[in-house]
Amino acid sequence: MSALPYRWRLAPDGFATYRQLRALGLRPGGQDVAAVLHQPRRRRGPLVAYLYRIDRAKPIRPMTPAKWAALAKANAAQQVCPNCRRDAEYRIPRSLGMCVTCAYPEEQCAA
């Protein structure tokens, strides 16, 4: 990777990070990293940001109906509690591995 090194906030115009490209409706499109930003820190390693050339970026590919269906199916699978097999109507936290009702049965409201 032969990227140009720059100090933080000193990169020339025409470069953008991945997130900045996405905000512009673009993607790197297979190009290599064009520049690297370094922000030194005292007690940890430096912050690093990879920059891509905006003029070589390509437009984001649109979501197809098949991609939307696959995304909906994946999200629905993460909402089913493996313990009680009910739809929790929210994504099950990985830290719990089950819905909140199953994880904390003693804290249920007595309504």
Side-chain angles (χ1 to χ4, degrees):
M1 178 171 80
S2 62
L4 299 172
Y6 290 101
R7 298 270 308 184
W8 208 255
R9 300 183 192 268
L10 296 178
D13 293 336
F15 292 102
T17 63
Y18 183 81
R19 286 186 179 186
Q20 290 169 336
L21 286 177
R22 293 298 280 193
L24 295 172
L26 301 171
R27 60 186 170 95
Q31 66 174 302
D32 290 331
V33 174
V36 179
L37 293 180
H38 295 280
Q39 173 66 33
R41 298 189 292 181
R42 288 181 182 230
R43 293 184 178 93
R44 293 182 282 178
L47 287 176
V48 177
Y50 299 106
L51 300 177
Y52 302 94
R53 291 185 49 175
I54 296 175
D55 59 343
R56 291 186 183 174
K58 297 180 180 177
I60 295 174
R61 294 183 192 118
M63 287 285 282
T64 63
K67 285 184 181 181
W68 282 113
L71 184 63
K73 186 176 178 181
N75 285 333
Q78 293 179 357
Q79 293 179 356
V80 177
C81 176
N83 196 22
C84 64
R85 300 286 184 207
R86 287 186 295 179
D87 185 1
E89 297 182 5
Y90 57 86
R91 290 180 67 173
I92 304 293
R94 285 187 177 184
S95 59
L96 298 177
M98 61 185 78
C99 67
V100 176
T101 308
C102 292
Y104 304 108
E106 66 278 354
E107 295 181 17
Q108 291 181 2
C109 297

